[in-house]
Amino acid sequence: MLTSVKNDKVKALKKLHTKKERERTGTFFIEGFHLIEEAVHSNWNIKEIILQDGVELPSWANDYPILAVSENVFQHLTQTKTPQGIAAVVQMNNDTAVAGDYVLLLDRIQDPGNLGTIIRTADAAGFSAVILGEGTVDMYNDKVIRSTQGSIFHIPVFQDNLTSRIHDLKTSGFKIWASALTNSKDFHTVKTTQKVALIVGNEGSGIHQNVLDLADEVVKIPIYGKAESLNVSIAAGILMYHIKG
């Protein structure tokens, strides 16, 4: 059992909270029974499970290497306020294939909670993939993963160049929708087609013009009250369910 926060192994695990180290190792850190179980059941590669002294190991974890640590070491590693005493190191999934008729494209989403909620909603709405453009927050950020509630393990989520990916999607028969407040149509008035890729943009500045220009349809959600706009994760949810409907 590891009992010192100065142990080299503990230091290496702590570094996984940084994007640089995640990218260098091709792995990321998750916490809690639910998230780890979702990763296991979705056949992601669990490299190691970290278990706090005194915490019971669930039966589904028996097939993986276990690292036992003291409570003070686990507290040092945790990012959650009420840790459950179990964490895991997971290998990144580099699959960038899109198999399905509904794709979500994200342009420079900055808030980890928004990104996590959007991924969770895309999963619930039955979308095939979530593609993150450059400038979007890292999908393996701890807050993003927690906000997905496990959905990050259910559907492909990956980073790509949006411009080139949109051209590929058009070649494959997708209609490209973009969400914007200006020069746009009420989304209720636009007929959905069999294959749709939806773009939503940055919380403050929306979709970059170069990306927006590639859309076949630019849609908006009407505002009936005095709010200037909707939160991007709410807007994405409304439009995804409309497209699927």
Side-chain angles (χ1 to χ4, degrees):
M1 180 184 299
L2 299 183
T3 58
S4 172
V5 298
K6 294 182 179 179
N7 180 280
D8 287 343
K9 175 71 174 179
V10 175
K11 289 179 180 178
L13 289 170
K14 183 75 171 180
K15 284 182 181 178
L16 288 178
H17 293 309
T18 68
K19 182 179 179 180
K20 182 180 179 180
E21 187 67 6
R22 291 193 293 267
E23 290 179 343
R24 188 188 72 80
T25 61
T27 61
F28 61 103
F29 191 88
I30 62 174
E31 292 183 50
F33 290 98
H34 174 68
L35 276 179
I36 300 170
E37 193 169 3
E38 290 296 317
V40 168
H41 291 163
S42 301
N43 296 316
W44 282 56
N45 184 1
I46 310 294
K47 307 292 285 185
E48 187 173 39
I49 289 177
I50 299 98
L51 193 71
Q52 180 181 307
D53 183 33
V55 175
E56 186 176 350
L57 186 71
S59 59
W60 46 258
N62 286 323
D63 295 334
Y64 303 99
I66 307 297
L67 176 68
V69 302
S70 61
E71 183 178 358
N72 69 299
V73 168
F74 198 90
Q75 289 289 340
H76 177 70
L77 294 173
T78 188
Q79 297 277 87
T80 55
K81 291 181 180 178
T82 53
Q84 297 175 357
I86 189 168
V89 177
V90 186
Q91 185 173 319
M92 293 178 181
N93 187 341
N94 296 317
D95 183 16
T96 60
V98 174
D101 295 337
Y102 303 98
V103 177
L104 183 64
L105 305 166
L106 303 180
D107 181 30
R108 298 170 298 136
I109 299 297
Q110 296 289 293
D111 182 83
N114 281 341
L115 178 57
T117 301
I118 289 169
I119 292 169
R120 183 180 179 184
T121 308
D123 178 23
F127 265 54
S128 316
V130 180
I131 301 174
L132 315 179
E134 293 175 16
T136 293
V137 65
D138 181 20
M139 63 180 277
Y140 296 113
N141 175 296
D142 182 72
K143 289 180 181 177
V144 173
I145 294 171
R146 286 206 306 273
S147 297
T148 72
Q149 288 289 305
S151 286
I152 196 167
F153 302 118
H154 301 162
I155 63 172
V157 183
F158 55 89
Q159 189 172 53
D160 200 358
N161 180 281
L162 292 188
T163 303
S164 60
R165 180 60 73 157
I166 289 168
H167 285 304
D168 291 344
L169 289 167
K170 285 187 172 186
T171 302
S172 301
F174 280 81
K175 288 291 184 184
I176 311 299
W177 286 33
S179 173
L181 294 174
T182 57
N183 300 318
S184 50
K185 307 173 187 173
D186 185 325
F187 77 95
H188 292 109
T189 67
V190 181
K191 187 177 179 181
T192 57
T193 52
Q194 186 176 351
K195 289 185 169 187
V196 179
L198 170 66
I199 314 166
V200 296
N202 176 268
E203 291 89 342
S205 57
I207 301 168
H208 193 282
Q209 192 63 47
N210 290 348
V211 176
L212 191 61
D213 289 341
L214 299 174
D216 298 303
E217 299 284 359
V218 182
V219 299
K220 64 181 176 183
I221 301 168
I223 302 290
Y224 300 114
K226 294 181 180 180
E228 287 186 0
S229 62
L230 286 166
N231 173 278
V232 65
S233 61
I234 299 293
I238 290 169
L239 292 173
M240 282 191 284
Y241 270 91
H242 172 72
I243 288 166
K244 278 289 289 187

